[in-house]
Amino acid sequence: MLMIVRKLRRSYCNYGNRHVFRPIILLVISMLYIFFVTTLIFYTSRFGNRIIEEHIKRVSKMTQMASQNKQEHYNVINNNYLFSSPPGDACYLRQKLNKPNMPVIHSFFADEATESVIFVGVKWLSQNWHQAAFVCVFDNGDISMSDPVVQDGRSFGYLTQFLIVVTCSMPKIYLKQPNFTLSLSVLNITNLDEAFVDTYENMTVCRPGIWPVKRYFLAMCTMVRNMDPFLPEWVEYHAYIGVEHFYIYDNAPYKNSTLRETMKPYIDAGYVTVVPWPHRPSSGKTFLEIQIAHENDCIWRHKHDVDWMIKVDVDEFVQPMNPLKPKIPDYLIDDSTLETLSSIRLDNWFFGRPNRTTFSYKSDSIFERNQYRPGRPTPQNIGRDKNILQLKNVHYFKIHGVKLGGAARSADPYNELRMVHYRMDNPRHRTFDLPDFRTLDTSMVQTWTEAKRHFDQILGRS
């Protein structure tokens, strides 16, 4: 074919511009080139798809043979899994999954809204999992190829971390099942003798949360480890100004944690879900791995039952600044320009005490202990901003910003929303570099007084 094209081109050149059939010859050459390229692409694609098809046939045969003798897996959850408080249909890994030839997986669950199983994990930048083909093998013998994995190659912030989310279509038979089992494998497309590079086997997949699903317009999500004294005030304050539910990921060892008992009044009242998350960092990584994994698990679990999610720590409090809009939802409604946003960014404003005076957890409240602030908020984009996320527009997230998703907008810290940060009271950050606290500001104390009175009535406190 190429020889024919070369001969035609040579003939055309020999005849030059004087040849009367110049347009016809040029058209024939172009058509031959198009035919050649199209044929090459077709056979290359067919060969690649043929390899995958052969693997799928092999996997299907293996699965059918295994299914004939397997025991029933429904409703069987072993000691590798933990449950939230209050208990529901969701189950969580006691420890993350980690193999040399597989991505690190921190969580997975069945998302009935999209009829898919979702796996959330972390990776190194050098790992090209977006180029891999994943296969989900269900316990009834069905097989599903994963959707294309979106690459996370964006690096920002301190100690950069990279994410991976894998999704597989879920057979309709599982849509009403509280749990089922599957295996997740990386397909070996370079060696026909080995179907898989490696596999996570017998993974129990549960629903993402409480069933039946309850929708919230505004929720909060955070992770703590032995921070019980901070949580009652944090929950009561934010619930009073419009937060409907709190997902608190507990990073303490499950058996030693007291958080479930501390939060019991709020769990019983329907405000709080405590999620067990006792994972530890992978070799070569830091605690940020666990934090970022929990953030993206929370985002993906609640994409379809939470509209807006506040992502702040328990020493950080969102404060509405407009007296005519005293609740946080007031800033999230009746504005069509918010539809495509992934987040509203909150400027950080430290609050504390002059001369760093000492305190006791039992003395007053965090609001009354810290009534002073600097004259202006922390500058943006230096790792202090936090976010209110519109979950449907977020794909990957890391602590201070959306890595992949829609656009962001900054709230005006003087007239809309600001984040009050009581870093001085946080026992994990006593040496943190803080500004001078010279300006008296009692606005948070006023809101807290109202919130406390409100919850005294709800919880029956005298």
Side-chain angles (χ1 to χ4, degrees):
M1 191 185 309
L2 286 174
M3 292 178 63
I4 296 174
V5 172
R6 291 194 186 102
K7 286 181 180 180
L8 285 170
R9 182 188 291 170
R10 192 178 301 116
S11 299
Y12 169 69
C13 295
N14 290 338
Y15 279 102
N17 295 331
R18 294 171 295 175
H19 199 282
V20 294
F21 296 107
R22 178 184 178 188
I24 299 175
I25 294 175
L26 188 61
L27 177 62
V28 171
I29 292 173
S30 300
M31 291 178 66
L32 285 170
Y33 266 121
I34 293 172
F35 175 76
F36 172 72
V37 172
T38 304
T39 303
L40 181 64
I41 292 174
F42 171 77
Y43 279 103
T44 301
S45 173
R46 185 176 180 181
F47 179 73
N49 291 335
R50 189 176 175 184
I51 293 176
I52 295 177
E53 289 171 2
E54 288 296 323
H55 276 301
I56 294 297
K57 290 178 182 178
R58 287 166 55 86
V59 173
S60 179
K61 185 176 180 180
M62 291 163 53
T63 305
Q64 290 171 4
M65 293 175 60
S67 297
Q68 293 175 0
N69 299 317
K70 79 176 185 69
Q71 296 180 351
E72 185 62 55
H73 287 293
Y74 293 123
N75 300 313
V76 177
I77 302 179
N78 59 34
N79 291 330
N80 294 326
Y81 301 88
L82 299 170
F83 298 92
S84 64
S85 298
D89 288 335
C91 58
Y92 302 85
L93 285 170
R94 188 178 295 271
Q95 284 298 329
K96 64 185 185 295
L97 304 181
N98 193 357
K99 278 188 174 182
N101 297 316
M102 295 288 289
V104 175
I105 299 296
H106 284 265
S107 65
F108 46 87
F109 51 88
D111 182 14
E112 297 188 2
T114 59
E115 298 186 7
S116 61
V117 179
I118 297 174
F119 306 83
V120 178
V122 296
K123 73 180 190 71
W124 297 98
L125 178 60
S126 59
Q127 293 177 314
N128 296 318
W129 292 119
H130 62 285
Q131 298 175 352
F134 292 90
V135 179
C136 289
V137 182
F138 295 84
D139 57 10
N140 71 339
D142 285 357
I143 296 172
S144 174
M145 291 289 296
S146 69
D147 299 317
V149 175
V150 178
Q151 182 184 16
D152 176 16
R154 187 180 178 192
S155 174
F156 69 81
Y158 176 66
L159 295 175
T160 56
Q161 307 284 327
F162 301 92
L163 291 148
I164 175 174
V165 172
V166 178
T167 58
C168 283
S169 296
M170 181 171 59
K172 292 186 180 298
I173 188 175
Y174 297 114
L175 291 180
K176 301 304 179 183
Q177 294 288 349
N179 59 72
F180 55 88
T181 63
L182 59 70
S183 296
L184 176 69
S185 304
V186 174
L187 194 66
N188 191 339
I189 61 175
T190 61
N191 184 359
L192 283 173
D193 295 328
E194 296 290 338
F196 301 132
V197 175
D198 211 336
T199 300
Y200 288 131
E201 298 179 345
N202 296 325
M203 306 165 73
T204 299
V205 181
C206 304
R207 288 170 172 154
I210 302 296
W211 186 266
V213 175
K214 184 175 181 179
R215 287 196 58 84
Y216 300 107
F217 178 74
L218 179 63
M220 293 187 83
C221 185
T222 195
M223 184 176 72
V224 297
R225 181 180 173 88
N226 302 327
M227 297 289 284
D228 295 29
F230 285 90
L231 283 159
E233 293 174 352
W234 188 79
V235 168
E236 291 182 19
Y237 169 86
H238 284 108
Y240 180 71
I241 59 172
V243 176
E244 298 168 84
H245 200 77
F246 301 80
Y247 299 97
I248 304 175
Y249 283 60
D250 185 6
N251 188 238
Y254 186 75
K255 292 183 178 180
N256 300 332
S257 174
T258 59
L259 184 60
R260 295 182 296 279
E261 186 61 30
T262 299
M263 290 288 100
K264 189 177 187 307
Y266 308 98
I267 294 171
D268 293 344
Y271 285 101
V272 169
T273 298
V274 174
V275 176
W277 198 259
H279 302 184
R280 293 294 174 263
S282 306
S283 176
K285 286 189 173 287
T286 69
F287 182 76
L288 289 180
E289 173 196 350
I290 310 304
Q291 183 172 357
I292 292 166
H294 108 268
E295 290 175 334
N296 288 272
D297 174 80
C298 195
I299 289 168
W300 282 86
R301 278 184 190 271
H302 300 291
K303 274 183 177 285
H304 307 290
D305 58 43
V306 174
D307 293 328
W308 293 89
M309 181 81 78
I310 301 174
K311 277 298 301 150
V312 297
D313 297 330
V314 295
D315 59 354
E316 299 168 338
F317 294 73
V318 181
Q319 183 182 18
M321 300 301 292
N322 185 342
L324 300 179
K325 295 182 176 182
K327 308 291 184 181
I328 300 175
D330 295 337
Y331 301 85
L332 305 175
I333 59 176
D334 300 330
D335 186 349
S336 60
T337 64
L338 297 176
E339 180 63 26
T340 59
L341 291 185
S342 65
S343 72
I344 294 178
R345 300 176 64 189
L346 304 171
D347 282 10
N348 178 81
W349 208 320
F350 287 113
F351 272 55
R353 300 176 294 282
N355 303 320
R356 303 198 177 196
T357 52
T358 59
F359 71 96
S360 166
Y361 283 129
K362 296 181 180 180
S363 66
D364 304 316
S365 66
I366 195 171
F367 312 96
E368 293 163 305
R369 291 192 299 268
N370 301 277
Q371 300 186 43
Y372 289 82
R373 59 170 173 79
R376 62 188 64 184
T378 307
Q380 291 183 350
N381 300 319
I382 63 170
R384 299 287 175 263
D385 314 328
K386 290 298 177 71
N387 296 264
I388 305 177
L389 302 174
Q390 187 166 208
L391 299 190
K392 67 178 182 180
N393 295 332
V394 180
H395 195 89
Y396 292 139
F397 177 77
K398 180 192 173 186
I399 304 176
H400 298 288
V402 175
K403 300 190 79 176
L404 184 63
R409 175 193 298 174
S410 294
D412 181 350
Y414 297 93
N415 300 302
E416 294 180 320
L417 298 167
R418 69 179 177 184
M419 187 183 73
V420 174
H421 195 170
Y422 296 112
R423 194 65 174 260
M424 181 180 288
D425 274 18
N426 190 331
R428 298 184 182 278
H429 301 284
R430 292 286 173 80
T431 60
F432 193 77
D433 186 23
L434 293 170
D436 291 331
F437 299 111
R438 298 180 179 180
T439 303
L440 179 64
D441 187 334
T442 63
S443 58
M444 289 292 285
V445 175
Q446 296 169 15
T447 304
W448 167 244
T449 301
E450 298 169 4
K452 186 177 183 301
R453 187 183 304 118
H454 176 73
F455 267 87
D456 285 344
Q457 296 177 353
I458 291 177
L459 301 179
R461 296 185 304 219
S462 57

